[in-house]
């Protein structure tokens, strides 16, 4: 056993040694890049922290819905992403997502953050820094900057927080029946083979779908990359995994509604970093004759859409079901946050209200329709994130205006009918990659380690069976400490 451990350690050091040695040299480029702006850097680090807070917020949001005997397992399905993706993003996730490569996926030039330093510009490790700056080939010239006023590593860690929470969203469809080992393997593979290609296609220089030389799809903060991908994957995963043994006849109500409200509040708070932070700067600029500040625009749009969606959900419940609920308010707010995500930096506050209203209305009925289909997407991940992200992407194509963001495009209401077609193509690509990729990954895992816990463990609860502990120390009585 000891020999195997030593051998694995030696292979790992050998595997990482060359990239890490290269990184040591890469930290001192020959040509000095522009200095980072301290205000923008502080803003982006705070935004990154806010987005990270969304993952514990999601854990509480989801944890409140499940039976008390599964609360820890549900919390862990979010928390474990901070560990898994927190490491893999540094090793290969960021490179596959943002390094130059194919139109569908990046390369491994930035493996282990080789070539990603504290300068405001990244560069390819196999080119001297001054040559990368002077390169005329667009494949090399475009790589020098994603956010030219902050350290490259600040942009890297900000994007890491998106990569962490996105697969965590999928867990809402899988709770109370998937083994923790299978889930951990799933999110490792999914973040590599589904999230990274989509992030590259939409946000990277040279990506197939995005504004940086691609098709020109508008996705300010993750409508396709985050919400459609996780929502569609959740739906496919729920179908492949199969329903819980108690579904649909013996389902329990949420065990802790205050957890749900707490989680929704933390998500709402963190979403300001998610959307406003995607401006990548707090600086003001000009668009035509107007002064613009995309961080402020996105912040206002985010809060406005969330408020409008929560209000719409409560109205629908009051009118159709007789009573507005706390769970409905929380769900509506999250739906509005999802809907505004792709549009936040492209639309006016009045458009944000309409986006919130429309997204909540569609998601409300999507939840009801899902129940009729009897698909056990346990916590409505697809109706809220998949449908909400889809509606948000379509509404972005309708309401976007260059009066808000000169770097974007006008939408349908401004006479650009073609933008709707562009967004529909991006939506279709996201659906295809997320759906097919998730199905393949789950089938591989099912054929190797298996997907589900045993029926006895599912009925008894996953906390005690998967983790050996309980959330409230009450399900199985007190046990003597060892």
């Amino acid at each position: 056993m000891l020999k195997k451990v030593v051998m694995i350690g030696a292979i790992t050091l050998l595997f990482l040694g060359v990239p890490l040695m290269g990184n040591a040299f890469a930290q001192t480029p020959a040509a000095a890049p522009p200095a980072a702006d301290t205000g923008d850097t502080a803003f982006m680090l705070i935004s990154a922290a806010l987005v990270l807070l969304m993952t514990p917020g999601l854990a509480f949001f989801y944890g409140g819905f499940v039976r008390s005997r599964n609360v820890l397992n549900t919390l862990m399905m979010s928390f474990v992403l901070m560990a898994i993706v927190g490491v893999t993003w540094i090793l290969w996730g960021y490179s596959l997502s943002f390094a130059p490569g194919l139109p569908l996926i990046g390369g491994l030039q930035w493996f282990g953050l080789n070539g990603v330093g504290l300068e405001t510009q990244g560069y390819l490790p196999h080119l001297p820094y001054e040559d990368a700056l002077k390169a005329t080939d667009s494949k090399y010239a475009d790589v020098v900057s994603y956010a030219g006023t902050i350290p490259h590593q600040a942009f890297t860690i900000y994007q890491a927080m998106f990569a962490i929470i996105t697969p965590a969203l999928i867990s809402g469809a899988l709770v109370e029946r998937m083994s923790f080992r299978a889930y951990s393997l799933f999110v490792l593979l999914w973040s590599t083979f589904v999230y990274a290609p989509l992030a590259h296609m939409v946000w990277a220089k040279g990506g197939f779908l995005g504004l940086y030389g691609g098709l020109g799809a508008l996705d300010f903060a993750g409508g396709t990359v985050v919400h459609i991908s996780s929502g569609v994957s959740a739906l496919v995963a729920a179908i492949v995994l199969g329903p819980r043994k108690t579904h649909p006849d013996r389902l329990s109500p949420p065990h802790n509604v205050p957890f749900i409200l707490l989680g929704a509040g933390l998500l709402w708070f963190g979403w300001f970093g998610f959307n406003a932070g995607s401006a990548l700067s707090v600086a003001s600029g000009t668009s035509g004759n107007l002064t613009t500040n995309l961080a402020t625009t996105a912040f206002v749009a985010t809060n406005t859409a969330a408020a409008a969606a929560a209000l719409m959900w409560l109205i629908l419940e009051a009118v159709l079901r007789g009573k507005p609920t706390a769970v409905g308010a929380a769900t509506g707010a999250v739906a509005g946050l999802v809907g505004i995500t792709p549009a936040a930096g492209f639309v006016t506050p009045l458009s944000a209200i309409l986006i919130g209203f429309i997204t909540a209305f569609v998601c409300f009925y999507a939840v009801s329709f899902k129940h009729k289909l009897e698909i056990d997407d346990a916590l409505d991940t697809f109706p809220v994130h998949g449908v909400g992200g889809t509606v948000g992407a379509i509404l972005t194509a309708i309401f976007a205006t260059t009066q808000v963001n000169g770097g974007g495009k006008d939408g349908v209401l401004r006479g650009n009918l073609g933008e709707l077609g562009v967004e529909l193509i991006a939506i279709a690509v996201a659906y295809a990659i997320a759906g097919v990729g998730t199905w393949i990954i789950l089938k591989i895992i099912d054929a190797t380690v298996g997907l589900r816990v045993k029926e006895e463990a599912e009925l008894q609860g996953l906390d005690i069976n998967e983790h050996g502990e309980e959330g409230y120390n009450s399900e199985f009585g007190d046990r003597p400490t060892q």
Side-chain angles (χ1 to χ4, degrees):
M1 181 64 181
L2 180 60
K3 290 182 179 180
K4 289 183 179 180
V5 173
V6 172
M7 183 178 296
I8 292 173
I11 293 173
T12 302
L13 289 174
L14 181 63
F15 180 62
L16 295 177
V18 174
L20 292 178
M21 288 175 61
N23 193 43
F25 293 104
Q27 297 294 324
T28 55
D37 181 89
T38 54
D40 285 349
T41 301
F43 170 68
M44 291 309 300
L45 293 178
I46 292 171
S47 294
L50 286 171
V51 180
L52 181 64
L53 181 65
M54 292 173 69
T55 299
L58 180 71
F60 278 100
F61 182 72
Y62 280 170
F65 279 101
V66 299
R67 294 183 301 169
S68 59
R69 64 189 65 184
N70 293 316
V71 61
L72 288 183
N73 179 258
T74 303
L75 293 172
M76 280 293 293
M77 292 176 89
S78 289
F79 270 82
V80 74
L81 267 301
M82 294 192 287
I84 294 174
V85 180
V87 173
T88 61
W89 186 253
I90 301 301
L91 292 179
W92 63 76
Y94 180 68
S95 189
L96 290 175
S97 300
F98 287 94
L102 300 173
L104 302 181
I105 194 168
L108 287 173
Q109 302 95 318
W110 290 342
F111 181 90
L113 298 195
N114 185 27
V116 180
L118 300 180
E119 304 82 17
T120 57
Q121 298 163 324
Y123 63 100
L124 298 179
H126 64 271
L127 284 179
Y129 190 81
E130 65 274 16
D131 291 345
L133 291 175
K134 298 174 183 177
T136 56
D137 187 331
S138 62
K139 182 173 68 173
Y140 300 115
D142 284 349
V143 77
V144 298
S145 178
Y146 278 108
T149 62
I150 64 174
H152 194 178
Q153 285 189 11
F155 177 78
T156 302
I157 201 64
Y158 177 69
Q159 290 296 335
M161 305 314 173
F162 284 68
I164 287 170
I165 194 171
T166 303
L169 293 170
I170 304 172
S171 67
L174 311 174
V175 294
E176 300 192 311
R177 66 220 197 256
M178 189 174 190
S179 80
F180 193 71
R181 178 175 63 170
Y183 173 77
S184 298
L185 182 57
F186 167 72
V187 295
L188 171 66
L189 296 174
W190 191 92
S191 63
T192 301
F193 295 107
V194 175
Y195 181 85
L198 276 174
H200 182 81
M201 282 189 279
V202 176
W203 288 330
K205 304 291 178 72
F208 165 58
L209 295 174
L211 287 171
Y212 292 118
L215 187 65
L218 298 175
D219 188 356
F220 192 74
T224 50
V225 179
V226 176
H227 297 294
I228 290 179
S229 69
S230 60
V232 172
S233 296
L235 179 64
V236 172
I239 294 172
V240 173
L241 195 61
R244 289 165 288 179
K245 300 301 180 183
T246 56
H247 184 273
D249 300 322
R250 291 181 290 143
L251 295 179
S252 302
H255 93 277
N256 194 324
V257 174
F259 268 21
I260 296 172
L261 289 176
L262 172 64
L266 290 173
L267 285 170
W268 193 329
F269 179 66
W271 225 291
F272 293 126
F274 202 83
N275 287 358
S278 292
L280 303 178
S281 171
V282 289
S284 297
T286 58
S287 181
N289 296 323
L290 301 176
T291 299
T292 62
N293 184 298
L294 291 184
T296 300
T297 295
F299 196 112
V300 173
T302 299
N303 192 73
T304 303
L311 182 61
M312 173 58 77
W313 203 288
L314 289 172
I315 291 172
L316 289 170
E317 284 190 325
V319 172
L320 299 176
R321 299 173 182 172
K323 294 181 180 179
T325 68
V327 171
T331 305
V334 172
L337 291 165
V338 171
I340 197 62
T341 292
F346 302 114
V347 300
T348 65
L350 287 178
S351 296
I353 291 176
L354 292 175
I355 290 172
F357 281 159
I358 296 169
T359 304
F361 184 87
V362 176
C363 289
F364 182 89
Y365 281 99
V367 170
S368 299
F369 183 69
K370 185 219 73 171
H371 290 309
K372 292 181 180 179
L373 295 177
E374 296 189 357
I375 296 174
D376 193 13
D377 175 356
L379 307 183
D380 298 328
T381 305
F382 178 74
V384 174
H385 294 276
V387 173
T390 303
V391 172
I394 292 172
L395 295 178
T396 301
I398 294 174
F399 291 113
T401 171
T402 52
Q403 291 296 305
V404 169
N405 186 345
K409 295 189 291 183
D410 285 323
V412 172
L413 294 183
R414 295 275 177 168
N416 183 14
L417 298 178
E419 186 57 29
L420 181 58
V422 169
E423 294 300 326
L424 290 175
I425 292 173
I427 291 168
V429 171
Y431 268 69
I433 291 176
V436 175
T438 299
W439 186 85
I440 292 173
I441 291 170
L442 288 173
K443 288 297 182 180
I444 291 173
I445 295 174
D446 192 27
T448 51
V449 302
L451 291 174
R452 296 187 63 137
V453 299
K454 295 180 180 179
E455 181 176 353
E456 180 183 357
E458 180 180 331
L459 296 175
Q460 190 179 40
L462 272 64
D463 287 357
I464 195 69
N465 284 283
E466 292 291 288
H467 306 288
E469 53 188 350
E470 302 170 53
Y472 305 107
N473 197 32
S474 60
E475 289 291 329
F476 302 98
D478 295 331
R479 293 185 305 273
T481 57
Q482 297 180 358

